[in-house]
Structure formats: C-alpha cells, structure tokens
Amino acid sequence: MHIFAIANQKGGVGKTTTTVNLAAALGQAGQRTLLVDLDPQGNATMGSGIDKRSLTRSVYQLLVGLDSLAAVRVASPTGAFDVLPANRDLAGAEIELVDLELRETRLKTALAAQRADYDFVLIDCPPSLSLLTLNGLCAAHGVIIPMQCEYYALEGLSDLVNTIKKVHANLNRDLKIIGLLRVMFDTRSTLSNQVSAQLEQHFGAKVFKTIVPRNVRLAEAPSYGVPGVLFDKSAKGAVAYLAFAQEMIARVKQWDAEEMNQGGQAT
Ligand code: ADP
Ligand code: MG
C-alpha cells in the first residue's frame, strides 16, 4: 500500500481536482484505491459522487476514535474507488484532536489496520498546515504538490517544504516529496512557460513529466458528481490525469522493485 498526501497550503491550486481524478484514473487502471477527504469543505467527497450532507459517518468519527475505517468508508458510485468522506463535522475534529493522545498519527494508525485492502491511498489535504494536514503528512509515504505556474507559485512552497522537513525529522521518517505537479497550465502564456522551466531547473526529477492543462471539462465534472477522467475521458485535462496515473504507477513499480532488490541483498 502506497500512501500519498496531496498538499499545498494555498487554496484553489488544484489539490482536490488532482486527488479525485488521480483516484478515478488509478481505479480505472485496476489499482485498488482509497481516497481520504481531510478537508471539512468535503469537495473531494462531492466530486466522487457522494452527498456530504447525508453522511451518517465521516472521517471525523475515524479521527476521534468513534468508528473504524471499515465502518466509515463508502464506495464511490462511479465504481472506481473507495472514499473516506468528509463534511463540516471535520472542522470540529481539529479542536477535539488537540486534547487526544497521539493526535498526529490517528489517520496513520487507522490506515495501517486496512493495509491489505489497497494499492494506493490518496489524501486530499485542506488548504492549511493544520492538525488535519499533519495527520495526512504523518500517514503518508510521500507528498504530491499541485501548483500553478504563476509568479507567486514558488513563494508559498518554502513554508510547505519546511513543514514537510519538520514532519520528516520529528514524526514520520518515511515522508518525502514525491513531486510537483504543474496544473491549470496555460501553454500559450510566456510566464507559465518560464515558471515551468524554473521549476524543472530547481527541482529536477521532482517535477512530474505530466502537465495538466487548464481545461473547463475538469471544472464542470464536480457538479455532476463524476471525476473529470470519467466525465469526458477524451478532454485534454482528463487525458493528462490518465497519463499522470500511469506515471505514478510506473514510479511505484520502480520503488517496489528497488525494495525487493535491497531485501534480496540483505539476505
Ligand atoms: P484546491 O483543492 O487546491 O482548493 P481545486 O481542485 O478545488 O483546488 O480547484 C480550484 C478550482 O479550480 C475548482 O473550481 C476546480 O474545478 C478548478 N480547476 C482545478 N484544476 C483545473 C484545471 N486543470 N482546469 C480548469 N479548472 C481547474
Ligand atoms: Mg480542495
């Protein structure tokens, strides 16, 4: 099971769109996938076709220890993946968690109990560096950072990178930045292309090859409760997320092979 947090403390940068579409694309490719919605806004829940207002249980119950993962998860009606859904109840968890023991590792523990059920777990983080995001980062093996190639894109990045470093040092030795994903990309913009080239220069292999273009079909899909990659799979945005899923599958295969090799050498 490979666990990835999709994080960026800025709002509106494409975290939820990336999480939902990657989950659906991985599911379509036969990967057993769980989406964890850690944002009280519940956008990933709605975008997966689940009505956040009618939930009897949500990831809130899981984090405060009232319910197990198996009791909280629901299958996305799209059939492609499972969801730990969220709604406004989760905003309360932020406060309640402060007084609970092992408050940063509650999601990690819950996921470990269901390790055999999934190939991929994708965690949609809220736009903050809060205790909820911290739970996401503690549970994850890696962070996927969606970003727009605009003038201020790099500015916010250092806060996130510092947080990830701290979590790595103090709470989760497994955590690393998997990569930066360029989203809402405008190929005709000179600035976008410049920032994109800068990103490649600074971060090298940490920049994903796939670039997700700005594409209105991706923005329309959530109102139908269907991920873009299933809503109109030939649209440019969908094609990009399908390619991104293949890029992730290839990376994970490579890690698994490296791990097997290392295991082989040790014995
Ligand atoms: P976040 O979760 O980081 O707040 P969202 O994924 O909700 O960001 O995206 C913010 C807005 O931008 C949403 O309205 C979404 O539909 C839209 N959006 C995201 N990615 C794209 C894209 N590639 N092309 C067009 N619109 C997009
Ligand atoms: Mg979001």
Side-chain angles (χ1 to χ4, degrees), residues 15-17 39 41 43 124-125 127:
K15 291 182 290 297
T16 299
T17 304
D39 189 339
Q41 291 184 70
N43 292 345
D124 186 26
C125 292

Side-chain angles (χ1 to χ4, degrees), residues 228-250:
V229 293
L230 304 176
F231 179 63
D232 179 356
K233 64 176 194 296
S234 59
K236 274 195 304 185
V239 169
Y241 276 116
L242 290 166
F244 182 46
Q246 292 305 321
E247 194 176 348
M248 285 301 298
I249 290 170

Side-chain angles (χ1 to χ4, degrees), residues 188-204:
R188 289 161 309 177
S189 151
T190 312
L191 179 63
S192 291
N193 284 301
Q194 279 171 354
V195 174
S196 175
Q198 264 178 14
L199 278 181
E200 284 174 354
Q201 242 170 35
H202 277 81
F203 295 96

Side-chain angles (χ1 to χ4, degrees), residues 90-135:
L90 190 56
E94 183 77 44
I95 297 150
E96 288 175 47
L97 277 172
V98 172
D99 295 325
L100 296 180
E101 256 174 78
L102 303 171
R103 58 193 178 188
E104 299 95 353
T105 53
R106 301 213 142 221
L107 179 62
K108 181 191 176 90
T109 308
L111 290 174
Q114 230 64 45
R115 191 180 299 136
D117 291 6
Y118 299 103
D119 302 308
F120 283 89
V121 177
L122 304 178
I123 305 169
D124 186 26
C125 292
S128 63
L129 298 174
S130 62
L131 199 42
L132 288 172
T133 297
L134 212 50
N135 259 272

Side-chain angles (χ1 to χ4, degrees), residues 55-92:
L55 298 174
T56 47
R57 298 185 178 95
S58 73
V59 75
Y60 164 78
Q61 273 80 7
L62 182 80
L63 291 178
V64 299
L66 289 172
D67 273 309
S68 68
L69 189 152
V72 172
R73 72 176 154 199
V74 282
S76 162
T78 61
F81 56 101
D82 284 350
V83 181
L84 293 181
N87 57 24
R88 286 183 56 188
D89 292 349
L90 190 56

Side-chain angles (χ1 to χ4, degrees), residues 10-17 184 212-215 218-219:
K10 281 195 187 180
V13 294
K15 291 182 290 297
T16 299
T17 304
M184 295 187 235
V212 180
R214 187 172 285 284
N215 177 231
L218 287 174

